Amino acid sequence: MGLTAQSVKIDAMKDVFDIVKTDSQHVIALAGNPNTGKSTVFNYLTGLKQHTGNWPGKTVVSARGEYSYNDEEYIVVDLPGSYSLFTSSKDEEVSRDFICYGDYEAIVVVADATCLERNLNLVFQISEITNKVILCINLIDEAKKKNIAIDKEGLERELNVPVVLTAARSGIGMDELKNLIEKITFNSEKRKPAIITYDDYIKSEINDILPHLEDLNISNIRWTALRLIDSNTDIFSINKEGHLTVSQAKKIKEELNINTDTIKLREMIAEHNYNYANELKQKYVTEDTKKIKRDKKIDDIITSKVLGLPIMLLLLGLVFWITIQGANIPSQMLARLLFGIQDKLSSLFVQWEVPMILHNILLDGIYRTLAWVVSVMLPPMAIFFPLFTFLEDLGYLPRIAFNLDHMFKKACAHGKQCLTMCMGFGCNAAGVIGCRIIDSPRERVIAILTNNFVPCNGRFPTIIVISSAFFAVYSNAYVNSLIPALFITLMVLFGIIVTLLVSYILSKTLLKGVPSTFTLELPPYRVPKIGRLLYTSIIDRTIFVLSRAVIIAAPAGAITWIFANIYVGDLSILSHVANFLDPIAKTIGLDGIILMAFIMGIPANEIVLPVLLMAYLSTGTLTDFESVDHLRTILINNGWTPLTALNVMLFSLLHWPCSTALWTIKKETGSIKWTLLSFFIPTAIAFAVCFITASLYRLIL
Amino acid sequence: MKALTDAHVGEVVKVRKNTAQDSLKERLLALGLTNGADIEILRKGPKNNLTVYNIRGAMIALRGEEARLIEIY
Ligand SMILES: Nc1nc2c(ncn2[C@@H]2O[C@H](COP(=O)(O)OP(=O)(O)OP(=O)(O)O)[C@@H](O)[C@H]2O)c(=O)[nH]1
Ligand SMILES: [Mg+2]
């Protein structure tokens, strides 16, 4: 899930290609297959908190961090995972360009110890490009659990690259890794990685080309020759000193009359690589097949044809139920604490003879709203985010994609759209960037345009709070959270249905086409580290979202309070605005103030609830928050009906994306048209759906 | 001619020919679906379309549309 203090900073979305550095700093690249722990290694080395998660495609934009070791400074670049240097989704291109043409002094290939055969393919490919390779065989703890033993010395000898066995999550082997990085950087360990020997046909093809490359001042002529026969000339489009240019490549191809069947050659080369990888695995890896069956047993249930979907819904409902049930008491305790402080502050203000108007704005305006926001939003978030992260780290998300694939296929959408939606659960802007894992442009745009229909961090608390305030039954302590949990589950489900429908309609109209090809890796289940999980989800996510809400809500609260208390004619400014919006709002079952709160929430959805509360609290009688029940009273006093609550949730789920998301969509699609559509489609749907529910409600009652 | 889609759950089969084209072929090759590779069929998903295979030690799910392009012995 991508929303962190780092990822929201605008420059975090830029890929690093030309690394800005001082002369004394050394650039280290982290490459490898998806989901092998590159970001975890990165975090360990740099102390940063790049997001990690147990599914391939978590990182789609490269990140940069720094560390020092033995008084030398290093810059580490965390690359998106890639299976090979020749595959073609956007995130993989970033890695390919950096691996082939970046200025690094060492490259650490992070490999998965439990799946070495597949991982070696990339190791071979990178060894053909550079001598500065370190093989970091990670997840060694998982390998141990599965009784997989790896002969490190044997591999080192055979590959002729330094090898280190690590468990990055617990820091095992990381000192040795730092040491190796230093050695490779300062050339104190000079090696020439063993490279694949190809068969005579390929050899003779290369040998014909090599002489023609020799005078061109190219750093790696063997690699260049190979790419001349197995790639089209696009691979040379980087235009960098020491590398062949596209025009040079075209010229050579023409002169030598190279018209090999590139894909055929690529196939031969891949076969060589994989045969060798298999050979190495037979020689240096011993495994116990019984233990590997564990995942299979779990998957028999989780991804079973019959049980897969019900289990998914049940899990979702359970997560919400725990969230609501668990948030109740902490909410009350927080409220008691915060409003206690308010009383103290109030008497202090009186003692210090603070002017009444300031007293009102600061305490009744800003502080009271913030106290409300913290009391109602913090506990559910602090429970929900760790639970969700737990499922993510476990490896459950790709299984959801697996279970829902046939529906996405029907909607003519990409199977990985489901994964981008899971990212959107964190932050829609991150979800939109996450769409880079989809390589077909048509389906990528569909995924981008519909990402908004999964509620992000900023909207989830609103939905949770409203449904627990309004739809709980107070007669029984355990049942009371069941209905809200059910409501939220239905909301999420409805969001998925809307996503599928909109995807389908787009596929039949603006973005015509058939589903493109799709491969999905299901990672092994990994037991999450609870300490780390709590840390990332509470510090990184909960506190971050809350502070965003507080920071924007404070001035918004002050403004709302002032508007609520400045009168123009008979009415406060707030009432004027609300009255102006009221007619439209009423037709869709909301009121003017709610609509105003949603409009003010364009910069950040987190503040919708604060603004709403502020508006109600500053006009009506001021009450302290005592329990969620209290919130309900306030809402009812302001004319809320079950329809209002339902429509606020629906509107929140469906309405326009926040400005950050829109800006990201513009950047990712590079098109005003798609950006505008990504605003108007959700808006139209939100209005339409709320209009329908409002009309039905009126018909029935 | 047998395709990967014809194999049953639990079987281990050998790839004879990968007839996919362009970027799909590239991707399948990258995953290790090369001629002669051993593939175990692990599980069929909803609607029997998406199927999970053990390819080179990793669990990879492919739709019928893609798996059909892999000929096996
Ligand atoms: N048990 C164990 N789990 C690990 C270790 N290193 C990483 N993980 C877990 O493996 C998962 C993947 O880690 P990431 O660091 O996100 O992997 P990545 O290579 O950056 O993945 P992409 O960005 O998708 O390419 C996460 O859930 C990590 O917590 C390790 O040494 N041991
Ligand atoms: Mg990563």
Side-chain angles (χ1 to χ4, degrees):
Chain A
M1 316 263 290
L3 189 72
T4 61
Q6 282 170 49
S7 67
V8 169
K9 275 193 221 139
I10 287 166
D11 60 314
M13 295 173 181
K14 266 194 274 178
D15 284 307
V16 266
F17 185 73
D18 290 313
I19 305 287
V20 182
K21 63 167 200 120
T22 62
D23 286 341
S24 62
Q25 288 176 312
H26 310 284
V27 177
I28 312 298
L30 283 176
N33 279 185
N35 205 32
T36 54
K38 295 174 295 299
S39 301
T40 311
V41 171
F42 176 87
N43 289 348
Y44 192 92
L45 289 176
T46 62
L48 291 175
K49 288 176 222 79
Q50 170 84 326
H51 263 280
T52 60
N54 191 8
W55 50 286
K58 178 80 201 187
T59 311
V60 289
V61 186
S62 48
R64 161 204 165 122
E66 289 166 26
Y67 76 94
S68 58
Y69 182 70
N70 288 344
D71 297 324
E72 291 291 336
E73 285 189 42
Y74 297 88
I75 294 176
V76 194
V77 180
D78 180 24
L79 296 169
S82 55
Y83 291 113
S84 143
L85 295 178
F86 309 116
T87 40
S88 52
S89 66
K90 270 206 145 176
D91 53 329
E92 286 171 310
E93 260 167 41
V94 173
S95 295
R96 182 197 72 193
D97 286 347
F98 196 80
I99 294 169
C100 295
Y101 306 111
D103 291 313
Y104 46 83
E105 290 175 63
I107 181 162
V108 179
V109 185
V110 182
D112 178 350
T114 64
C115 182
L116 209 52
E117 182 178 349
R118 218 267 313 285
N119 283 251
L120 281 173
N121 180 38
L122 188 69
V123 178
F124 300 149
Q125 291 184 348
I126 294 178
S127 296
E128 284 186 331
I129 294 176
T130 169
N131 292 341
K132 301 168 246 172
V133 187
I134 298 165
L135 174 56
C136 165
I137 301 183
N138 190 34
L139 293 151
I140 200 73
D141 52 332
E142 294 290 326
K144 265 204 197 96
K145 273 193 218 156
K146 294 182 178 168
N147 279 354
I148 297 174
I150 293 168
D151 175 2
K152 178 185 132 175
E153 281 73 29
L155 272 176
E156 211 158 42
R157 227 179 312 116
E158 188 106 24
L159 294 167
N160 204 24
V161 299
V163 177
V164 53
L165 303 180
T166 64
R169 214 169 59 172
S170 21
I172 294 169
M174 298 307 276
D175 277 330
E176 197 184 339
L177 176 64
K178 284 188 197 171
N179 188 3
L180 284 178
I181 291 176
E182 181 185 41
K183 279 190 180 149
I184 293 288
T185 307
F186 293 99
N187 275 325
S188 57
E189 184 159 318
K190 267 214 165 77
R191 300 210 190 192
K192 200 153 175 32
I195 43 179
I196 305 273
T197 36
Y198 295 109
D199 58 20
D200 293 342
Y201 172 65
I202 299 179
K203 265 194 211 149
S204 76
E205 288 282 333
I206 307 177
N207 285 340
D208 288 346
I209 303 174
L210 287 180
H212 298 262
L213 293 172
E214 260 151 20
D215 327 320
L216 290 175
N217 181 27
I218 287 167
S219 54
N220 189 339
I221 54 174
R222 182 174 180 269
W223 187 81
T224 309
L226 276 168
R227 296 300 81 86
L228 278 169
I229 57 171
D230 81 348
S231 306
N232 62 29
T233 49
D234 289 349
I235 195 159
F236 301 109
S237 54
I238 198 78
N239 248 338
K240 208 174 157 220
E241 174 103 34
H243 298 281
L244 206 65
T245 62
V246 175
S247 55
Q248 278 174 323
K250 280 195 175 136
K251 204 168 131 231
I252 293 178
K253 274 200 161 186
E254 221 160 86
E255 274 172 12
L256 296 180
N257 201 7
I258 305 174
N259 44 17
T260 41
D261 181 352
T262 51
I263 195 83
K264 187 86 211 138
L265 267 146
R266 182 64 58 68
E267 186 168 15
M268 290 166 74
I269 289 175
E271 216 175 309
H272 273 279
N273 276 349
Y274 265 111
N275 287 346
Y276 187 42
N278 187 268
E279 190 186 317
L280 290 188
K281 183 191 153 192
Q282 305 287 355
K283 265 199 212 158
Y284 302 111
V285 181
T286 44
E287 59 187 19
D288 173 356
T289 37
K290 249 186 255 137
K291 292 266 181 168
I292 298 177
K293 299 284 181 225
R294 179 198 68 173
D295 279 9
K296 200 169 163 287
K297 286 205 187 104
I298 304 179
D299 269 333
D300 279 338
I301 304 167
I302 298 277
T303 60
S304 115
K305 271 184 239 178
V306 189
L307 293 177
L309 274 179
I311 288 181
M312 189 189 99
L313 291 178
L314 218 67
L315 262 177
L316 206 60
L318 186 71
V319 165
F320 294 133
W321 180 74
I322 297 177
T323 303
I324 298 169
Q325 187 73 29
N328 234 326
I329 291 172
S331 273
Q332 290 172 25
M333 282 166 33
L334 260 178
R336 217 168 293 146
L337 178 79
L338 292 173
F339 289 110
I341 296 177
Q342 186 188 353
D343 294 341
K344 293 255 161 58
L345 281 177
S346 183
S347 41
L348 272 182
F349 272 36
V350 173
Q351 206 179 321
W352 295 336
E353 293 172 17
V354 176
M356 209 50 202
I357 172 89
L358 211 58
H359 183 150
N360 284 345
I361 293 183
L362 288 180
L363 281 189
D364 298 339
I366 297 176
Y367 186 88
R368 178 180 295 269
T369 318
L370 293 188
W372 266 89
V373 170
V374 173
S375 315
V376 296
M377 279 172 68
L378 178 60
M381 280 196 289
I383 299 173
F384 176 74
F385 291 153
L387 286 176
F388 193 85
T389 314
F390 180 84
L391 290 181
E392 181 183 8
D393 276 356
L394 200 62
Y396 186 59
L397 302 193
R399 268 84 187 176
I400 299 184
F402 180 83
N403 285 336
L404 294 182
D405 179 67
H406 57 291
M407 301 187 193
F408 282 92
K409 195 176 152 220
K410 261 229 173 85
C412 302
H414 199 276
K416 282 192 183 156
Q417 186 168 335
C418 199
L419 290 176
T420 66
M421 287 165 68
C422 290
M423 276 208 116
F425 254 121
C427 164
N428 293 126
V432 166
I433 299 180
C435 293
R436 290 182 183 186
I437 58 173
I438 298 176
D439 41 13
S440 132
R442 180 188 82 87
E443 279 136 288
R444 201 164 77 93
V445 173
I446 293 182
I448 288 176
L449 290 186
T450 52
N451 194 272
N452 185 55
F453 297 123
V454 284
C456 64
N457 274 345
R459 290 181 280 159
F460 236 115
T462 312
I463 297 178
I464 292 179
V465 168
I466 302 261
S467 82
S468 48
F470 234 87
F471 299 110
V473 188
Y474 288 92
S475 51
N476 179 311
Y478 294 97
V479 190
N480 78 16
S481 318
L482 273 183
I483 297 171
L486 190 72
F487 255 95
I488 304 172
T489 313
L490 287 177
M491 280 295 150
V492 174
L493 210 59
F494 186 63
I496 297 176
I497 293 171
V498 173
T499 302
L500 289 170
L501 278 177
V502 173
S503 301
Y504 182 78
I505 295 171
L506 283 172
S507 296
K508 294 293 165 206
T509 54
L510 289 172
L511 289 158
K512 275 204 185 90
V514 286
S516 69
T517 59
F518 151 80
T519 57
L520 174 74
E521 176 163 6
L522 301 178
Y525 290 103
R526 291 173 192 156
V527 181
K529 253 202 152 153
I530 303 296
R532 204 172 152 81
L533 183 149
L534 283 177
Y535 179 84
T536 39
S537 48
I538 295 197
I539 303 297
D540 242 32
R541 298 265 290 297
T542 309
I543 300 296
F544 175 68
V545 173
L546 196 69
S547 60
R548 227 161 84 118
V550 166
I551 289 167
I552 308 180
I559 294 171
T560 318
W561 191 89
I562 293 170
F563 281 0
N565 289 281
I566 295 180
Y567 282 73
V568 178
D570 288 345
L571 287 172
S572 66
I573 298 182
L574 189 75
S575 314
H576 278 296
V577 177
N579 283 351
F580 173 73
L581 292 173
D582 227 35
I584 322 169
K586 281 272 155 59
T587 52
I588 55 168
L590 304 175
D591 67 30
I593 290 193
I594 302 172
L595 197 56
M596 185 194 73
F598 276 118
I599 293 171
M600 284 178 77
I602 287 182
N605 281 306
E606 287 87 342
I607 69 165
V608 171
L609 193 63
V611 168
L612 198 62
L613 284 174
M614 169 61 72
Y616 286 151
L617 292 178
S618 57
T619 48
T621 42
L622 298 172
T623 39
D624 284 358
F625 174 86
E626 275 153 20
S627 66
V628 178
D629 197 21
H630 224 87
L631 175 61
R632 173 193 168 93
T633 319
I634 292 182
L635 297 179
I636 288 180
N637 286 344
N638 280 282
W640 279 43
T641 61
L643 172 77
T644 326
L646 177 71
N647 277 7
V648 168
M649 287 160 68
L650 282 172
F651 200 82
S652 173
L653 175 75
L654 301 170
H655 78 302
W656 53 77
C658 72
S659 54
T660 315
L662 285 170
W663 180 84
T664 311
I665 292 170
K666 169 75 188 27
K667 244 193 110 203
E668 290 293 302
T669 59
S671 140
I672 299 271
K673 174 179 152 199
W674 296 131
T675 313
L676 286 177
L677 272 174
S678 72
F679 180 88
F680 285 111
I681 294 174
T683 305
I685 292 177
F687 274 92
V689 169
C690 289
F691 177 74
I692 293 171
T693 50
S695 311
L696 285 178
Y697 186 83
R698 279 179 209 125
L699 257 179
I700 295 166
L701 294 187
Chain B
M1 197 73 57
K2 256 179 99 176
L4 192 50
T5 34
D6 300 326
H8 299 288
V9 173
E11 264 184 275
V12 179
V13 299
K14 214 180 232 340
V15 175
R16 184 188 145 112
K17 199 169 167 207
N18 176 340
T19 66
Q21 296 296 315
D22 307 331
S23 69
L24 174 64
K25 176 124 180 188
E26 206 80 83
R27 189 162 291 280
L28 294 176
L29 289 178
L31 291 171
L33 258 171
T34 55
N35 297 349
D38 285 326
I39 295 176
E40 183 186 353
I41 292 85
L42 292 180
R43 176 190 342 284
K44 304 234 169 199
K47 307 252 179 251
N48 277 339
N49 190 315
L50 204 57
T51 306
V52 188
Y53 302 97
N54 177 347
I55 303 174
R56 309 268 178 190
M59 285 197 271
I60 309 282
L62 299 176
R63 284 175 178 166
E65 285 79 352
E66 281 89 55
R68 206 161 290 135
L69 302 172
I70 308 291
E71 290 174 13
I72 56 173
Y73 285 107

